[in-house]
Amino acid sequence: MIKAKNVHKFYGNIEVLKGVEVHIKEGEVVSVVGESGAGKSTLLQILGTLDLPTRPQEYKTEITIADESFMEMKDSDLSKFRNRNIGFVFQYHQLLPEFTALENVMLPVKIAGEDEKNYREKAFTLFEDLKITNKIHQKPNQLSGGEAQRVAVARALIMSPKIIYADEPTGNLDSKNAEGLHRLFFDLRDKYNQTFIIVTHNLGLAKVTDRKLTIVDGMIA
């Protein structure tokens, strides 16, 4: 599903990623762990098409998602590729406060220019899967932290992307809500065959994922 080779990233003279190589299979739940500043989030942003590696031609960098390379795509094509193939869940849910939970979940559909009617049933199914059907018409300020994060997960899944990238998705939750969200990731993987890449400091979550990748000083140990 994801293949990356010779991934380097510099910020000024500081080399954050030093030739990372990653292979991730379809349907895997993979955690990425390491000390702060090791390069975890940087790698996630590059694999998620939000950033580009440094001097890819010089380093002979290769990155493909579902056998498709995105590094030389035009911005418009890259946006379409990202919307079709990738969902994101961040530490802070990043829901738009003026929209209801359902409207937030449907945002990727609007961005893609798709007919919302074709996705409403999927949205309601996701709310059921995530056990927040009674929150559909509430706005973010009416949701608990755990509920808001589940809405963010539904938003990431609405377009049926091939991959979900999650950056510290439980970092802002209490232990009970964090554990519940961990279980949901595996339930969703089993139901929808999603591939999950999760950057986390939560060693309990990392321990139960299919594989744990540890980044040390910009390289996978």
Side-chain angles (χ1 to χ4, degrees), residues 3 5 24 30 42 50 82 97 119 123-124 143 170 176 181 193 205 210 212:
K3 294 181 181 179
K5 187 177 180 180
I24 295 170
V30 176
T42 300
L50 297 175
R82 185 186 302 122
Y119 287 85
F124 286 119
L143 304 174
T170 60
K176 181 179 179 181
L181 191 59
N193 196 35
L205 169 59
D210 299 327
K212 180 178 71 174

Side-chain angles (χ1 to χ4, degrees), residues 61-80:
T61 303
E62 300 174 13
I63 306 176
T64 60
I65 294 175
D67 296 323
E68 201 170 349
S69 177
F70 59 83
M71 288 193 295
E72 295 183 4
M73 288 183 181
K74 296 178 181 178
D75 288 345
S76 58
D77 293 332
L78 182 58
S79 294
K80 292 176 183 176

Side-chain angles (χ1 to χ4, degrees), residues 13-46:
N13 294 323
I14 300 173
E15 188 175 14
V16 178
L17 298 178
K18 304 174 182 178
V20 170
E21 182 170 346
V22 179
H23 289 179
I24 295 170
K25 299 176 183 177
E26 182 178 2
E28 276 195 299
V29 178
V30 176
S31 57
V32 182
V33 302
E35 298 293 331
S36 295
K40 305 184 300 298
S41 294
T42 300
L43 177 62
L44 199 73
Q45 289 175 345
I46 291 173

